[in-house]
Amino acid sequence: MNKLRPYQSDLVEQLRAAWREGFKAPCIVLPCGGGKSCILAEIARRTTANGKRVLFLVHRRELVEQIIKTFVSWGVDMRFCEVMMVQTAARRLSEILPPKLIMTDENHHSPAASYKKIYEKFPQTLRVGVTATPTRLNGSGLADVNDKLIIGVSAKWLIENNCLAPYDYYAPDVADLTGLKTKRGEYVTSDIEKAMIKKAVFGDVIAYYKRLAAGRKSICYCASVKHSMAMAEEFSAAGIAAKHIDGETPAEERARIISRFRAGEIRILCNVDLISEGFDVPDCECAILLRPTQSLTLYIQQSMRCMRYREGKRAVIIDHVGNYARFGLPDDDREWSLEGKPKKRREQQENIKAKMCPECFLTFSPPETGEITCPHCGYIFPQKERKEIEQTSGELHKIEGFKIRYDRPEDCKTYKDLLEYAKRHNYKAGWAYHMAVERGIFIDRA
Ligand SMILES: [Zn+2]
């Protein structure tokens, strides 16, 4: 027997109230892991129970079957419900029986032309959408397709109430991402590839996995298929069972990989964005972020994918690309509006206070006042830093702000690394020299 949680039922009631008040196209906002598909299933069940037609739009082929399965198990009368890929629906508009309700999954896509074409074909039809992030890449909102936002509980609330797992966030850099170019608002894939497909970077990613999340089932998000395949190979070569999957992986093979991942035979699932949106994968405990992004939606979807609740579970997020500095932590409270706030984007970034511990890389929200202590290793941040943080946090979104950090002298690969290490630990300059001689590292005095 399927039953909604109280905060989910409340959203359904708010939606009904909004329709009664005359709104035609509300959008429900609920964090990833808040159970959006149950809420949609319940709305579809009630609608179809009255013999009214529902058209359900998804944006990926993989999701059609998945949604149908969920709906059937929830008791939706599928005689009155059509689940379609948006591109297909837009092409076959004349074949679609007029629905009483159009539901849009991952509603942040809906300003796209194909969605609008469908909405315009049925102007009298009520609509509802759901998303965790009612915003677009350029920061604008959904006012052109929705007329009301219905805001559900926050990610923090879901964690506090055992609906999402708590998490530790680490952000060690592994690659030099200085000066990445953007195109149409997002980083250029070939540039990221160039920075990430390197032996040293692969090695560091694997070393951090071993140190921060050894043995945990992880999803690794890469910049491109080529990058993802290479990463999976490197993990495997290091003795950690890993596989790559993408939208082109034959269904049968994909199912086999997923089931081996579920069984724990595969530890790391590498992908680009297949697993970002809705695609159902078994529970995992760690997300490895290797793709810097300007998209808050992508960031939230990827980082929170490992936070599915299980008693006693604590998720680990390893952000190797500084996404937190652009967006804050995944469960930071965010203010949404239909209009969005492109101009305030910078202002929002200035509010990002997430702080990374230089000793253990744990990244956390520091208290409003007083001393900042790392909750993981107890490192005490120098007092003067607080002022600096507040002054420079607006600049943090720049990737240039990151410096490679070294945990142990053994991590230093060049003379420059050793000098930086010595400086950070207040060692005398001679230390770096002796260490370099001892380890046969070229002493570059330039
Ligand atoms: Zn620490």
Side-chain angles (χ1 to χ4, degrees):
M1 160 93 176
N2 294 308
K3 214 170 170 301
L4 292 181
R5 294 187 165 126
Y7 74 84
Q8 296 170 330
S9 308
D10 182 54
L11 285 170
V12 176
E13 290 319 312
Q14 283 192 56
L15 171 69
R16 288 160 55 115
W19 281 334
R20 277 197 306 271
E21 283 166 38
F23 292 101
K24 297 204 69 167
C27 175
I28 294 173
V29 181
L30 192 63
C32 299
K36 291 192 288 278
S37 51
C38 301
I39 293 171
L40 292 175
E42 177 61 15
I43 298 164
R45 189 190 63 78
R46 292 190 191 185
T47 311
T48 56
N50 297 326
K52 292 177 181 160
R53 295 203 66 83
V54 170
L55 173 62
F56 189 102
L57 300 174
V58 297
H59 74 292
R60 292 188 84 120
R61 188 169 18 115
E62 292 85 12
L63 300 180
V64 174
E65 223 176 297
Q66 199 172 294
I67 294 286
I68 290 175
K69 228 169 102 185
T70 306
F71 275 24
V72 167
S73 76
W74 199 270
V76 177
D77 188 338
M78 295 310 285
R79 288 174 304 168
F80 302 109
C81 180
E82 203 157 5
V83 181
M84 283 184 105
M85 240 210 347
V86 62
Q87 294 83 344
T88 316
R91 268 198 319 268
R92 297 195 201 151
L93 274 179
S94 57
E95 296 166 34
I96 298 173
L97 293 169
K100 275 277 182 261
L101 172 64
I102 297 177
M103 306 178 88
T104 308
D105 195 13
E106 306 288 357
N107 190 104
H108 48 272
H109 290 295
S110 70
S114 43
Y115 286 89
K116 282 188 183 160
K117 205 171 142 193
I118 301 163
Y119 299 158
E120 279 156 21
K121 165 85 179 178
F122 306 107
Q124 298 309 315
T125 301
L126 286 180
R127 303 202 301 263
V128 62
V130 284
T131 180
T133 45
T135 177
R136 278 177 270 177
L137 194 53
N138 64 7
S140 63
L142 305 174
D144 53 348
V145 283
N146 295 111
D147 52 12
K148 186 183 174 66
L149 291 183
I150 298 173
I151 312 269
V153 294
S154 68
K156 278 201 175 78
W157 187 95
L158 289 169
I159 293 173
E160 278 159 16
N161 289 275
N162 294 344
C163 301
L164 281 178
Y167 67 95
D168 290 321
Y169 197 104
Y170 298 93
D173 346 305
V174 292
D176 181 8
L177 298 172
T178 315
L180 277 188
K181 286 193 288 292
T182 57
K183 206 171 173 180
R184 273 174 301 205
E186 184 57 300
Y187 292 117
V188 178
T189 305
S190 55
D191 284 9
I192 310 172
E193 258 188 3
K194 220 159 102 191
M196 301 305 280
I197 302 187
K198 281 184 180 158
K199 274 282 168 202
V201 175
F202 289 136
D204 285 352
V205 171
I206 292 166
Y208 280 116
Y209 168 76
K210 285 183 176 166
R211 188 175 137 197
L212 300 170
R216 287 170 184 253
K217 272 195 234 177
S218 308
I219 295 177
C220 183
Y221 296 98
C222 301
S224 65
V225 168
K226 186 176 154 198
H227 177 211
S228 176
M229 286 174 155
M231 196 67 240
E233 262 171 42
E234 294 289 334
F235 267 117
S236 302
I240 301 160
K243 283 277 180 208
H244 157 86
I245 53 170
D246 61 47
E248 302 302 311
T249 312
E252 216 172 280
E253 195 189 335
R254 200 162 64 200
R256 200 166 46 235
I257 291 172
I258 296 281
S259 97
R260 288 184 61 206
F261 183 67
R262 180 178 287 113
E265 291 162 32
I266 292 170
R267 288 284 155 193
I268 318 258
L269 216 45
C270 296
N271 79 117
V272 180
D273 58 8
L274 180 69
I275 303 170
S276 303
E277 288 201 328
F279 183 65
D280 202 18
V281 288
D283 189 30
C284 69
E285 302 150 302
C286 171
I288 302 173
L289 313 182
L290 297 180
R291 170 183 180 183
T293 181
Q294 299 271 7
S295 159
L296 173 65
T297 300
L298 198 63
Y299 168 61
I300 296 276
Q301 285 169 340
Q302 298 191 337
S303 57
M304 291 185 69
R305 192 35 91 97
C306 59
M307 287 166 62
R308 192 185 296 175
Y309 182 77
R310 199 178 65 224
E311 210 188 316
K313 169 175 157 182
R314 203 168 171 87
V316 174
I317 300 165
I318 309 176
D319 173 2
H320 285 305
V321 289
N323 282 335
Y324 83 92
R326 281 181 289 282
F327 305 114
L329 295 173
D331 63 338
D332 277 356
D333 289 329
R334 294 178 170 83
E335 268 179 44
W336 305 114
S337 77
L338 270 180
E339 291 70 35
K341 33 189 141 186
K343 281 184 192 135
K344 283 196 184 161
R345 193 156 176 196
R346 193 181 152 73
E347 203 174 291
Q348 276 182 322
Q349 268 159 342
E350 274 160 16
N351 286 329
I352 291 168
K353 297 255 165 51
K355 189 78 192 115
M356 179 172 71
C357 169
E359 293 300 321
C360 72
F361 305 105
L362 184 80
T363 305
F364 58 98
S365 301
E368 289 294 325
T369 54
E371 194 175 71
I372 306 174
T373 309
C374 170
H376 182 64
C377 73
Y379 173 82
I380 299 167
F381 286 77
Q383 280 290 344
K384 69 173 178 69
E385 261 192 59
R386 169 165 288 279
K387 230 180 154 189
E388 274 171 27
I389 301 160
E390 274 154 21
Q391 280 166 357
T392 60
S393 59
E395 301 302 319
L396 271 179
H397 62 284
K398 286 187 188 158
I399 286 186
E400 297 91 67
F402 289 85
K403 279 213 176 99
I404 293 172
R405 290 174 176 83
Y406 310 94
D407 285 337
R408 302 161 305 168
E410 300 92 277
D411 296 333
C412 300
K413 289 174 190 104
T414 65
Y415 186 53
K416 214 174 119 219
D417 296 352
L418 285 168
L419 284 175
E420 198 180 304
Y421 186 91
K423 203 172 142 196
R424 198 157 71 77
H425 288 79
N426 289 324
Y427 295 163
K428 292 195 179 77
W431 177 87
Y433 180 82
H434 285 294
M435 198 55 106
V437 172
E438 195 178 296
R439 293 180 42 211
I441 289 174
F442 175 67
I443 297 169
D444 174 11
R445 292 182 186 277

